[in-house]
Every structure is written in C-alpha cells, then in structure tokens.
Amino acid sequence: MPSREDPAERAGYLRFFYRGWRPTRLGRLWSRAYAWVSGLGLVPKILLTLETRDKSGRDCATILVVATYQGQRYLVSMLGNGSEWVQNVRAAGGKASIKRGRSQAVLLTEIPPQERAPILKAWSQVATSGRHHLPIPHDAPVSAFEAIAGDYPVFRIDPAL
C-alpha cells in the first residue's frame, strides 16, 4: 500500500467507494454486484471478473479492467499491494480464474516493478475510473509511471498449465 493518500478519495463520488486504499462497505457491495454482471459477459470487453480464494477458502470475485500491452493482457491493482485480490493471487501462487460468460483457469504472473511503467500507462488509458487512484495523470510520460510502479502490482494473464 502506498504511503501517500489515495487520490481517488478527493475525486467526487469515488470517496464513497474507497477510503485509505480500501473499498468501503458500499464499494464492496458495488464490486460484488458488478463482478456478477461482468461474469455474465454483460459489460464491455475491457472488464472481466477475477475469481480467487481467500485464506479461509471462500470464493472472492472482483471486477477488473484488462489492459493490453504488446499483445499481452494484464491486470493492475489500483489499490496497491494491500488489495485483497492481490494477496489472494500471491497466496495461490498465481492460480485464479477469469470469467466473462464462462470461467477460465489462468495463471497470473506478477511483473517486476522495473517493467511495470509502460503497462501502467496502457492500463490508465482504458481504466477511466481506476486512473483516479494514480497520483499522476493518465497522459503523463512513461517515465512518470516509473516513479510509482512499485506501488501498483501488475499481473500478466497466462493460460493455466
């Protein structure tokens, strides 16, 4: 979790959904409902539902924006390292499922911070709501994204083995 304040908390309606780099009760409820709709495939193709298991074995569904960079698809944690889905994916060794109509097993490969900047920029171009969590504008040069890359985990979506 970045040590600075989440910029989204200053942005109009988003302050009702996020506080201290965590979703509020309303944010969790909205995310669950939207993840269900996304899982049915009823949202734009840039969105998908990520399905993980938490430490207690409970299934968790999170709606995420998919960024494409150099022909690969990536997921970015707009809430940083403390995000529940990031912790679940790391604990599962990258094993997860993505859903858009039907579920598909995947392996999420974490990208090292020094390689994240161009992917973060690509993500910020399509994640119109998520970009509010970044302390820099979405049209900043890639070099600006290098300074924040360590705060925002990025995972490449690979087929499950």
Side-chain angles (χ1 to χ4, degrees), residues 138-159:
H138 69 282
D139 54 358
V142 172
S143 60
F145 287 88
E146 291 170 356
I148 64 166
D151 293 336
Y152 298 91
V154 174
F155 294 84
R156 185 180 60 240
I157 302 172
D158 293 322

Side-chain angles (χ1 to χ4, degrees), residues 63-77:
I63 187 160
L64 296 169
V65 173
V66 179
T68 302
Y69 177 72
Q70 294 185 342
Q72 296 287 323
R73 297 183 318 151
Y74 296 90
L75 300 176
V76 172
S77 174

Side-chain angles (χ1 to χ4, degrees), residues 125-137:
Q125 302 302 305
V126 294
T128 56
S129 182
R131 73 173 65 147
H132 293 288
H133 293 276
L134 302 178
I136 57 175

Side-chain angles (χ1 to χ4, degrees), residues 40-159:
L40 296 174
L42 301 175
V43 295
K45 290 192 182 274
I46 64 165
L47 298 173
L48 60 73
T49 297
L50 176 68
E51 298 173 325
T52 60
R53 290 197 181 226
D54 66 11
K55 292 180 264 189
S56 67
R58 183 177 54 101
D59 290 332
C60 300
T62 306
I63 187 160
L64 296 169
V65 173
V66 179
T68 302
Y69 177 72
Q70 294 185 342
Q72 296 287 323
R73 297 183 318 151
Y74 296 90
L75 300 176
V76 172
S77 174
M78 67 185 187
L79 298 178
N81 288 301
S83 182
E84 181 182 18
W85 74 263
V86 170
Q87 294 173 23
N88 293 345
V89 167
R90 287 175 175 161
K95 295 177 186 172
S97 295
I98 56 174
K99 189 172 183 182
R100 279 199 51 82
R102 62 185 176 94
S103 192
Q104 174 188 1
V106 295
L107 182 65
L108 298 179
T109 305
E110 189 162 5
I111 304 303
Q114 63 272 20
E115 297 174 21
R116 294 178 185 167
I119 301 163
L120 285 170
K121 180 164 176 80
W123 174 82
S124 73
Q125 302 302 305
V126 294
T128 56
S129 182
R131 73 173 65 147
H132 293 288
H133 293 276
L134 302 178
I136 57 175
H138 69 282
D139 54 358
V142 172
S143 60
F145 287 88
E146 291 170 356
I148 64 166
D151 293 336
Y152 298 91
V154 174
F155 294 84
R156 185 180 60 240
I157 302 172
D158 293 322

